[in-house]
Amino acid sequence: QVQLVESGGGLVQAGGSLRLSCAASGGTFSVHTMAWFRQAPGKEREFVAGITKTGATTRYADSVKGRFTISRDNAKKMMFLQMNSLKPEDTADYYCARDRSQGRPIMTTRMMYADWGQGTQVTVSS
């Protein structure tokens, strides 16, 4: 069983940047697609970005394309989300997630991910 721990959230002004990290321990990491999701108050949890096991392919929600960059370091069992040009609508709890299957393409639906971190809060002030 893998444990996922996010960090790097905080309060930032609109236009600013944050870098989120996800540290994995136990279980396997390098053979799984990984993703970031977010959940704003009163809203459904939504896909933000995903990355295949080698990092060769990434996928982004339209709302963050061009502003966010997902990456991973398999040797360190870490995943990252660089968030630039932040907007107030990016305010949410951000979660990292591990695909329940190995070697699958990037899926955008929550049910495809079996393991989740506890989340890190990102607040963007206007």
Side-chain angles (χ1 to χ4, degrees):
Q1 187 73 14
V2 69
Q3 290 79 45
L4 303 173
V5 179
E6 303 94 338
S7 61
L11 173 64
V12 63
Q13 289 188 331
S17 298
L18 283 174
R19 188 189 193 216
L20 305 184
S21 298
C22 173
S25 62
T28 55
F29 179 80
S30 64
V31 295
H32 292 268
T33 288
M34 298 291 295
W36 288 97
F37 284 73
R38 67 185 181 187
Q39 187 167 16
K43 294 190 176 181
E44 295 287 317
R45 192 171 297 187
E46 64 176 2
F47 174 83
V48 174
I51 187 167
T52 52
K53 61 181 182 179
T54 64
T57 302
T58 58
R59 184 175 180 179
Y60 297 91
D62 288 342
S63 58
V64 307
K65 204 171 292 183
R67 301 188 297 121
F68 291 10
T69 302
I70 189 172
S71 61
R72 65 190 295 165
D73 183 336
N74 285 342
K76 296 181 178 179
K77 300 181 75 172
M78 298 281 295
M79 181 177 66
F80 307 97
L81 186 68
Q82 178 66 44
M83 305 187 296
N84 298 328
S85 302
L86 283 161
K87 304 175 180 179
E89 50 264 43
D90 294 318
T91 295
D93 291 326
Y94 284 72
Y95 299 87
C96 68
R98 189 184 77 161
D99 192 321
R100 65 176 67 247
S101 298
Q102 296 183 10
R104 186 157 58 179
I106 300 165
M107 313 301 286
T108 62
T109 53
R110 289 180 57 182
M111 64 181 293
M112 299 300 180
Y113 295 84
D115 301 288
W116 296 82
Q118 83 290 346
T120 186
Q121 187 173 58
V122 172
T123 303
V124 185
S125 62
S126 57

